[in-house]
Amino acid sequence: QALEDNQGDALIAGLAITPENGALFDFSQIYLMLPGRFVMPVGAGTDFDPRKLDGKRVAVRRGSNHAAFVRRYLPAATVVPFDSEAAALDALEAGQAEAYFGDGMRASFWLNEHVGCCEFAGEPYFRPDLFGDGLAIAYPPGHDAIRLAIDYGLARLKRSGVYDDLYLRWFQVSFSL
């Protein structure tokens, strides 16, 4: 609403890039992808191969695209649904599952608060069709000067290393590297 009321030039608040929002706003280049990630107890994910999850319990958020991903690509794994990512990760910590699969960013925050329990296993899964396009900056439609300035600024932040410094300040446990 603030952009529509001219209270700012851009919105950087994790607004989803959806057709509905695309009708209201234009978006910058994507500055942060949101991958799916496996989390396992510390040491259990060494030499991780998702096929080793056959017959194992994988905690997921109920009804999520991450749950659908596990059902589709790991049909021999047992999907154990929970009402939230935090509940699924807590179940992993409690031994109610051998792995978790879900949003890497949310898992990163959880891992920062549960040091010594668990860690990411394997590589990030970037599937915009399932896990979203990522994060971009929204601005009023038709403002090409704003788009150019924002995209140029994002490119300079990345090239200079400042972007990586900011990323690691907030995500000590990197979810996309």
Side-chain angles (χ1 to χ4, degrees):
Q1 189 66 43
L3 283 182
E4 291 177 13
D5 294 341
N6 290 321
Q7 295 179 27
D9 293 321
L11 175 66
I12 181 169
L15 186 66
I17 304 170
T18 63
E20 296 79 20
N21 286 333
L24 300 172
F25 308 107
D26 286 340
F27 289 92
S28 71
Q29 66 179 322
I30 293 168
Y31 65 85
L32 185 62
M33 295 292 295
L34 300 173
R37 293 297 306 260
F38 282 100
V39 176
M40 297 181 78
V42 170
T46 305
D47 299 323
F48 179 76
D49 180 346
R51 293 172 295 196
K52 293 180 182 176
L53 293 173
D54 287 359
K56 306 283 188 196
R57 296 167 295 167
V58 179
V60 297
R61 182 174 53 87
R62 185 182 324 279
S64 69
N65 285 340
H66 299 95
F69 180 92
V70 173
R71 285 189 182 95
R72 179 175 182 181
Y73 294 106
L74 300 172
T78 302
V79 173
V80 183
F82 292 87
D83 290 332
S84 69
E85 285 88 356
L89 285 158
D90 290 344
L92 172 65
E93 184 177 35
Q96 298 170 355
E98 285 80 25
Y100 159 86
F101 186 71
D103 179 76
M105 184 167 60
R106 288 187 185 104
S108 175
F109 286 122
W110 186 90
L111 287 168
N112 282 331
E113 295 176 2
H114 295 84
V115 177
C117 156
C118 304
E119 61 190 353
F120 286 123
E123 299 298 319
Y125 290 82
F126 292 98
R127 291 289 305 268
D129 58 319
L130 293 175
F131 310 140
D133 289 317
L135 300 180
I137 299 171
Y139 56 91
H143 288 81
D144 288 338
I146 292 173
R147 177 184 54 80
L148 291 170
I150 290 171
D151 286 350
Y152 178 73
L154 288 171
R156 285 193 61 195
L157 287 172
K158 184 64 176 165
R159 189 172 45 250
S160 70
V162 171
Y163 176 87
D164 293 334
D165 291 343
L166 289 169
Y167 174 87
L168 292 173
R169 180 180 303 161
W170 295 102
F171 303 105
Q172 293 87 23
V173 178
S174 174
F175 61 86
S176 65
L177 303 176

